[in-house]
PDB file of all heavy atoms in Angstrom:
ATOM      1  N   SER A  29       2.615 -33.028   7.971  1.00 98.00           N
ATOM      2  CA  SER A  29       1.634 -32.465   8.891  1.00 98.00           C
ATOM      3  C   SER A  29       0.451 -31.999   8.037  1.00 98.00           C
ATOM      4  O   SER A  29       0.267 -32.497   6.915  1.00 98.00           O
ATOM      5  CB  SER A  29       2.283 -31.343   9.698  1.00 98.00           C
ATOM      6  OG  SER A  29       1.371 -30.765  10.618  1.00 98.00           O
ATOM      7  N   ALA A  31      -0.319 -29.433   6.179  1.00 98.00           N
ATOM      8  CA  ALA A  31      -0.095 -28.890   4.834  1.00 98.00           C
ATOM      9  C   ALA A  31       0.358 -29.983   3.874  1.00 98.00           C
ATOM     10  O   ALA A  31      -0.182 -30.112   2.769  1.00 98.00           O
ATOM     11  CB  ALA A  31       0.927 -27.757   4.879  1.00 98.00           C
ATOM     12  N   ASP A  50       7.734 -38.008   5.922  1.00 98.00           N
ATOM     13  CA  ASP A  50       7.515 -37.214   7.144  1.00 98.00           C
ATOM     14  C   ASP A  50       8.296 -37.804   8.301  1.00 98.00           C
ATOM     15  O   ASP A  50       8.352 -39.020   8.465  1.00 98.00           O
ATOM     16  CB  ASP A  50       6.030 -37.194   7.507  1.00 98.00           C
ATOM     17  CG  ASP A  50       5.778 -36.297   8.703  1.00 98.00           C
ATOM     18  OD1 ASP A  50       6.196 -35.124   8.657  1.00 98.00           O
ATOM     19  OD2 ASP A  50       5.191 -36.770   9.696  1.00 98.00           O
ATOM     20  N   ASP A  51       8.888 -36.918   9.120  1.00 98.00           N
ATOM     21  CA  ASP A  51       9.624 -37.432  10.271  1.00 98.00           C
ATOM     22  C   ASP A  51       8.960 -37.094  11.607  1.00 98.00           C
ATOM     23  O   ASP A  51       9.609 -37.100  12.654  1.00 98.00           O
ATOM     24  CB  ASP A  51      11.099 -37.012  10.241  1.00 98.00           C
ATOM     25  CG  ASP A  51      11.303 -35.545  10.548  1.00 98.00           C
ATOM     26  OD1 ASP A  51      10.313 -34.794  10.472  1.00 98.00           O
ATOM     27  OD2 ASP A  51      12.432 -35.171  10.866  1.00 98.00           O
ATOM     28  N   GLN A  53       7.441 -34.509  13.220  1.00 97.00           N
ATOM     29  CA  GLN A  53       7.660 -33.359  14.107  1.00 97.00           C
ATOM     30  C   GLN A  53       6.639 -32.255  13.836  1.00 97.00           C
ATOM     31  O   GLN A  53       7.003 -31.068  13.738  1.00 97.00           O
ATOM     32  CB  GLN A  53       9.091 -32.821  13.931  1.00 97.00           C
ATOM     33  CG  GLN A  53      10.179 -33.824  14.214  1.00 97.00           C
ATOM     34  CD  GLN A  53      10.148 -34.288  15.660  1.00 97.00           C
ATOM     35  OE1 GLN A  53      10.182 -33.476  16.578  1.00 97.00           O
ATOM     36  NE2 GLN A  53      10.054 -35.584  15.858  1.00 97.00           N
ATOM     37  N   ARG A  55       4.273 -29.328  14.252  1.00 98.00           N
ATOM     38  CA  ARG A  55       4.611 -28.261  15.200  1.00 98.00           C
ATOM     39  C   ARG A  55       3.739 -28.290  16.455  1.00 98.00           C
ATOM     40  O   ARG A  55       4.195 -27.951  17.543  1.00 98.00           O
ATOM     41  CB  ARG A  55       4.456 -26.921  14.470  1.00 98.00           C
ATOM     42  CG  ARG A  55       4.891 -25.765  15.287  1.00 98.00           C
ATOM     43  CD  ARG A  55       5.287 -24.653  14.356  1.00 98.00           C
ATOM     44  NE  ARG A  55       4.986 -23.399  14.948  1.00 98.00           N
ATOM     45  CZ  ARG A  55       4.160 -22.531  14.414  1.00 98.00           C
ATOM     46  NH1 ARG A  55       3.565 -22.778  13.282  1.00 98.00           N
ATOM     47  NH2 ARG A  55       3.936 -21.394  15.017  1.00 98.00           N
ATOM     48  N   HIS A  63      -7.521 -26.929  17.870  1.00 97.00           N
ATOM     49  CA  HIS A  63      -8.695 -26.068  17.976  1.00 97.00           C
ATOM     50  C   HIS A  63      -8.816 -25.191  16.732  1.00 97.00           C
ATOM     51  O   HIS A  63      -7.840 -24.978  16.011  1.00 97.00           O
ATOM     52  CB  HIS A  63      -8.577 -25.151  19.214  1.00 97.00           C
ATOM     53  CG  HIS A  63      -8.499 -25.908  20.502  1.00 97.00           C
ATOM     54  ND1 HIS A  63      -7.500 -25.687  21.429  1.00 97.00           N
ATOM     55  CD2 HIS A  63      -9.274 -26.886  21.009  1.00 97.00           C
ATOM     56  CE1 HIS A  63      -7.666 -26.496  22.462  1.00 97.00           C
ATOM     57  NE2 HIS A  63      -8.739 -27.237  22.231  1.00 97.00           N
ATOM     58  N   VAL A  96      13.997 -36.557   5.217  1.00 98.00           N
ATOM     59  CA  VAL A  96      14.692 -36.372   3.944  1.00 98.00           C
ATOM     60  C   VAL A  96      15.878 -35.448   4.190  1.00 98.00           C
ATOM     61  O   VAL A  96      15.710 -34.305   4.624  1.00 98.00           O
ATOM     62  CB  VAL A  96      13.755 -35.763   2.877  1.00 98.00           C
ATOM     63  CG1 VAL A  96      14.535 -35.413   1.620  1.00 98.00           C
ATOM     64  CG2 VAL A  96      12.620 -36.726   2.556  1.00 98.00           C
ATOM     65  N   THR A 120       7.666 -28.510   5.047  1.00 98.00           N
ATOM     66  CA  THR A 120       8.543 -28.886   6.163  1.00 98.00           C
ATOM     67  C   THR A 120       8.325 -28.059   7.430  1.00 98.00           C
ATOM     68  O   THR A 120       8.883 -28.390   8.472  1.00 98.00           O
ATOM     69  CB  THR A 120      10.016 -28.796   5.720  1.00 98.00           C
ATOM     70  OG1 THR A 120      10.201 -27.579   4.982  1.00 98.00           O
ATOM     71  CG2 THR A 120      10.377 -29.948   4.806  1.00 98.00           C
ATOM     72  N   HIS A 147      -5.945 -21.231  21.373  1.00 97.00           N
ATOM     73  CA  HIS A 147      -6.131 -21.730  22.742  1.00 97.00           C
ATOM     74  C   HIS A 147      -6.828 -20.757  23.676  1.00 97.00           C
ATOM     75  O   HIS A 147      -6.950 -21.030  24.868  1.00 97.00           O
ATOM     76  CB  HIS A 147      -4.764 -22.113  23.326  1.00 97.00           C
ATOM     77  CG  HIS A 147      -4.019 -23.078  22.461  1.00 97.00           C
ATOM     78  ND1 HIS A 147      -4.387 -24.407  22.341  1.00 97.00           N
ATOM     79  CD2 HIS A 147      -2.972 -22.917  21.622  1.00 97.00           C
ATOM     80  CE1 HIS A 147      -3.587 -25.008  21.479  1.00 97.00           C
ATOM     81  NE2 HIS A 147      -2.717 -24.128  21.027  1.00 97.00           N
ATOM     82  N   THR A 274       2.969 -23.387   6.437  1.00 98.00           N
ATOM     83  CA  THR A 274       3.764 -22.417   7.199  1.00 98.00           C
ATOM     84  C   THR A 274       5.200 -22.309   6.693  1.00 98.00           C
ATOM     85  O   THR A 274       5.889 -21.345   7.023  1.00 98.00           O
ATOM     86  CB  THR A 274       3.768 -22.792   8.689  1.00 98.00           C
ATOM     87  OG1 THR A 274       4.185 -24.153   8.826  1.00 98.00           O
ATOM     88  CG2 THR A 274       2.380 -22.633   9.296  1.00 98.00           C
ATOM     89  N   LEU A 280       0.248 -18.800   9.378  1.00 98.00           N
ATOM     90  CA  LEU A 280      -0.992 -19.547   9.150  1.00 98.00           C
ATOM     91  C   LEU A 280      -1.349 -20.457  10.318  1.00 98.00           C
ATOM     92  O   LEU A 280      -0.496 -21.171  10.857  1.00 98.00           O
ATOM     93  CB  LEU A 280      -0.856 -20.410   7.889  1.00 98.00           C
ATOM     94  CG  LEU A 280      -0.789 -19.667   6.554  1.00 98.00           C
ATOM     95  CD1 LEU A 280      -0.552 -20.655   5.411  1.00 98.00           C
ATOM     96  CD2 LEU A 280      -2.070 -18.873   6.316  1.00 98.00           C
ATOM     97  N   ALA A 282      -3.584 -23.854  11.491  1.00 98.00           N
ATOM     98  CA  ALA A 282      -3.535 -25.166  10.839  1.00 98.00           C
ATOM     99  C   ALA A 282      -4.437 -25.240   9.607  1.00 98.00           C
ATOM    100  O   ALA A 282      -4.028 -25.734   8.546  1.00 98.00           O
ATOM    101  CB  ALA A 282      -3.887 -26.253  11.838  1.00 98.00           C
TER     102      ALA A 282
HETATM  103  C1  FAD B 725       1.873 -25.779  20.712  1.00 96.16           C
HETATM  104  C2  FAD B 725       1.120 -25.423  19.447  1.00 96.16           C
HETATM  105  C3  FAD B 725      -0.259 -25.586  19.395  1.00 96.16           C
HETATM  106  C4  FAD B 725      -0.952 -25.224  18.253  1.00 96.16           C
HETATM  107  N1  FAD B 725      -2.315 -25.358  18.245  1.00 96.16           N
HETATM  108  C5  FAD B 725      -3.012 -25.016  17.145  1.00 96.16           C
HETATM  109  C6  FAD B 725      -4.427 -25.135  17.121  1.00 96.16           C
HETATM  110  O1  FAD B 725      -5.049 -25.565  18.098  1.00 96.16           O
HETATM  111  N2  FAD B 725      -5.078 -24.755  15.994  1.00 96.16           N
HETATM  112  C7  FAD B 725      -4.411 -24.254  14.898  1.00 96.16           C
HETATM  113  O2  FAD B 725      -5.059 -23.917  13.913  1.00 96.16           O
HETATM  114  N3  FAD B 725      -3.072 -24.151  14.898  1.00 96.16           N
HETATM  115  C8  FAD B 725      -2.357 -24.523  15.986  1.00 96.16           C
HETATM  116  N4  FAD B 725      -1.002 -24.400  15.993  1.00 96.16           N
HETATM  117  C9  FAD B 725      -0.330 -23.997  14.736  1.00 96.16           C
HETATM  118  C10 FAD B 725      -0.193 -25.255  13.858  1.00 96.16           C
HETATM  119  O3  FAD B 725       0.592 -26.188  14.555  1.00 96.16           O
HETATM  120  C11 FAD B 725       0.423 -24.921  12.509  1.00 96.16           C
HETATM  121  O4  FAD B 725      -0.367 -23.957  11.845  1.00 96.16           O
HETATM  122  C12 FAD B 725       0.500 -26.184  11.651  1.00 96.16           C
HETATM  123  O5  FAD B 725       1.130 -27.236  12.339  1.00 96.16           O
HETATM  124  C13 FAD B 725       1.267 -25.875  10.380  1.00 96.16           C
HETATM  125  O6  FAD B 725       1.317 -27.047   9.626  1.00 96.16           O
HETATM  126  P1  FAD B 725       2.432 -27.292   8.531  1.00 96.16           P
HETATM  127  O7  FAD B 725       2.005 -28.521   7.828  1.00 96.16           O
HETATM  128  O8  FAD B 725       2.644 -26.044   7.739  1.00 96.16           O
HETATM  129  O9  FAD B 725       3.814 -27.544   9.306  1.00 96.16           O
HETATM  130  P2  FAD B 725       4.261 -28.377  10.579  1.00 96.16           P
HETATM  131  O10 FAD B 725       3.127 -28.723  11.467  1.00 96.16           O
HETATM  132  O11 FAD B 725       5.391 -27.621  11.173  1.00 96.16           O
HETATM  133  O12 FAD B 725       4.786 -29.735   9.983  1.00 96.16           O
HETATM  134  C14 FAD B 725       5.946 -29.876   9.217  1.00 96.16           C
HETATM  135  C15 FAD B 725       6.172 -31.366   9.027  1.00 96.16           C
HETATM  136  O13 FAD B 725       7.285 -31.553   8.164  1.00 96.16           O
HETATM  137  C16 FAD B 725       8.114 -32.573   8.695  1.00 96.16           C
HETATM  138  N5  FAD B 725       9.473 -32.349   8.184  1.00 96.16           N
HETATM  139  C17 FAD B 725      10.244 -31.244   8.295  1.00 96.16           C
HETATM  140  N6  FAD B 725      11.412 -31.404   7.669  1.00 96.16           N
HETATM  141  C18 FAD B 725      11.384 -32.662   7.154  1.00 96.16           C
HETATM  142  C19 FAD B 725      12.313 -33.424   6.381  1.00 96.16           C
HETATM  143  N7  FAD B 725      13.496 -32.926   6.009  1.00 96.16           N
HETATM  144  N8  FAD B 725      11.979 -34.691   6.030  1.00 96.16           N
HETATM  145  C20 FAD B 725      10.781 -35.216   6.399  1.00 96.16           C
HETATM  146  N9  FAD B 725       9.860 -34.522   7.115  1.00 96.16           N
HETATM  147  C21 FAD B 725      10.164 -33.266   7.487  1.00 96.16           C
HETATM  148  C22 FAD B 725       7.987 -32.427  10.194  1.00 96.16           C
HETATM  149  O14 FAD B 725       8.337 -33.625  10.843  1.00 96.16           O
HETATM  150  C23 FAD B 725       6.507 -32.089  10.334  1.00 96.16           C
HETATM  151  O15 FAD B 725       5.723 -33.257  10.447  1.00 96.16           O
HETATM  152  C24 FAD B 725      -0.271 -24.721  17.126  1.00 96.16           C
HETATM  153  C25 FAD B 725       1.120 -24.562  17.165  1.00 96.16           C
HETATM  154  C26 FAD B 725       1.809 -24.906  18.314  1.00 96.16           C
HETATM  155  C27 FAD B 725       3.297 -24.709  18.357  1.00 96.16           C
END
Side-chain angles (χ1 to χ4, degrees):
S29 180
D50 184 53
D51 72 343
Q53 301 297 306
R55 185 155 147 240
H63 299 128
V96 173
T120 44
H147 306 288
T274 53
L280 291 176

